[in-house]
């Protein structure tokens, strides 16, 4: 299950938990949501069965965010693969 | 195997990065052989129209003006249409914003939520709704 996050929301953890339950999840962070890639936020997200966190490279470049080591920076070709081929469910929240 | 992606875009240009992400994703998906539909809804309907230059004095600093101009998406929309993207808009959302009679970018299709968007949904493998 892939969650596409494009904005900061104060209830993001609850939303992910409610929509994804105990299923393994990947997060794709775009736009302002790249801030969720910070070490502090990744620690908060990992207990929600979040396995992988991907960060859009162009959104990261325009922001001064130090990513947690677990995050992987991706380009649009990789994003297409993730959205179109790799995950059975894609949720944009 | 080629699939169909539908993006429901609810943000216009210069509000946030949703439209920029949608266009870049569309280009990348089309290059990979996928089919892409974009349904413009909410403020996204502003992207369906030809851009017009504002006449008269501008009360805005040049630096900010340059920033805003950079986020305009008219040329990008034209480009993805030429690449094969199927773009439709919601005419009632246009009407609510007072732009229903303004000229569409060439290739953008008049549409509505009940028919056009439903057709997109019924023929899509992936739906991505981008909003703020």
């Amino acid at each position: 299950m892939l969650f596409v996050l494009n904005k900061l929301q104060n209830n993001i953890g609850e939303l992910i938990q409610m929509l994804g339950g105990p299923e393994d999840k990947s997060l794709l962070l775009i736009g302002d949501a790249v801030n969720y890639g910070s070490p502090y936020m990744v620690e908060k997200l990992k207990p929600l069965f979040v396995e992988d966190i991907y960060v859009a490279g162009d959104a990261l470049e325009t922001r001064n965010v130090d990513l947690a080591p677990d995050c992987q920076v991706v380009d649009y070709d990789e994003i297409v693969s993730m959205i179109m081929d790799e995950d059975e469910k894609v949720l944009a929240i | 195997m080629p699939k169909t992606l539908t993006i429901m875009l609810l943000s216009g240009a210069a509000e946030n990065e949703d439209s920029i992400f949608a266009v870049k994703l569309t280009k990348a998906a089309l290059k990979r052989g996928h089919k892409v539909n974009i349904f413009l809804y909410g403020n996204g309907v502003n992207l369906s129209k030809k851009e017009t230059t504002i006449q008269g004095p501008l009360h805005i600093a040049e630096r900010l003006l340059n920033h805003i101009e950079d986020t305009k998406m008219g040329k990008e929309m034209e480009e993805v249409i030429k690449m094969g993207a199927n773009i439709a808009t919601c005419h009632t959302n246009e009407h609510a914003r007072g732009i229903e009679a303004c000229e569409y970018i060439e290739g953008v299709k008049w549409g509505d939520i009940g028919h056009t968007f439903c057709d997109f949904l019924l023929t899509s493998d992936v739906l991505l709704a981008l909003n703020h």
Side-chain angles (χ1 to χ4, degrees):
Chain A
M1 180 182 288
L2 174 68
F3 284 85
V4 181
L5 278 58
N6 66 337
K7 54 191 165 287
L8 298 173
Q9 304 176 74
N10 60 6
N11 61 342
I12 191 66
E14 289 168 34
L15 261 179
I16 291 171
Q17 202 162 22
M18 182 178 72
L19 295 168
E23 211 171 305
D24 284 347
K25 305 167 191 74
S26 301
L27 306 184
L28 169 61
L29 310 180
I30 64 173
D32 283 339
V34 299
N35 289 286
Y36 288 135
S38 68
Y40 174 80
M41 283 308 300
V42 168
E43 283 306 306
K44 297 274 180 194
L45 292 167
K46 283 283 180 184
L48 306 175
F49 303 97
V50 172
E51 292 288 309
D52 302 299
I53 301 178
Y54 303 97
V55 180
D58 63 338
L60 181 67
E61 272 176 29
T62 58
R63 293 169 176 84
N64 188 24
V65 179
D66 289 325
L67 292 181
D70 318 52
C71 295
Q72 298 175 54
V73 179
V74 290
D75 61 20
Y76 280 86
D77 206 37
E78 291 166 306
I79 292 173
V80 169
S81 295
M82 291 163 59
I83 290 176
M84 302 302 284
D85 301 323
E86 292 170 16
D87 284 278
E88 202 172 302
K89 293 177 190 168
V90 180
L91 288 90
I93 58 173
Chain B
M1 183 183 154
K3 292 182 180 174
T4 301
L5 166 68
T6 291
I7 300 171
M8 186 187 219
L9 180 58
L10 290 101
S11 302
E15 293 177 37
N16 52 57
E17 293 162 67
D18 286 351
S19 58
I20 297 170
F21 175 79
V23 163
K24 287 182 175 177
L25 180 66
T26 297
K27 285 181 183 174
L30 290 170
K31 281 178 189 167
R32 293 276 292 273
H34 296 299
K35 187 180 170 192
V36 181
N37 303 314
I38 300 178
F39 188 74
L40 301 170
Y41 198 58
N43 282 352
V45 298
N46 290 303
L47 298 170
S48 68
K49 303 298 184 180
K50 284 190 174 171
E51 290 173 2
T52 51
T53 307
I54 298 169
Q55 304 294 325
L58 299 176
H59 303 280
I60 186 165
E62 192 177 342
R63 192 164 62 90
L64 181 56
L65 193 65
N66 290 339
H67 171 71
I68 293 169
E69 296 290 326
D70 272 353
T71 63
K72 285 192 169 185
M73 299 302 291
K75 284 180 184 166
E76 301 284 342
M77 298 299 279
E78 287 173 11
E79 194 180 337
V80 293
I81 288 168
K82 281 180 187 159
M83 288 174 70
N86 186 23
I87 302 182
T89 178
C90 174
H91 76 102
T92 50
N93 278 213
E94 288 177 47
H95 187 83
R97 285 158 180 80
I99 60 167
E100 192 179 6
C102 298
E103 195 178 358
Y104 285 134
I105 289 170
E106 198 171 333
V108 170
K109 293 166 188 155
W110 181 97
D112 60 11
I113 197 86
H115 296 89
T116 317
F117 184 61
C118 284
D119 285 346
F120 282 175
L121 283 184
L122 291 169
T123 56
S124 295
D125 298 290
V126 180
L127 167 70
L128 207 59
L130 296 172
N131 71 324
H132 267 69

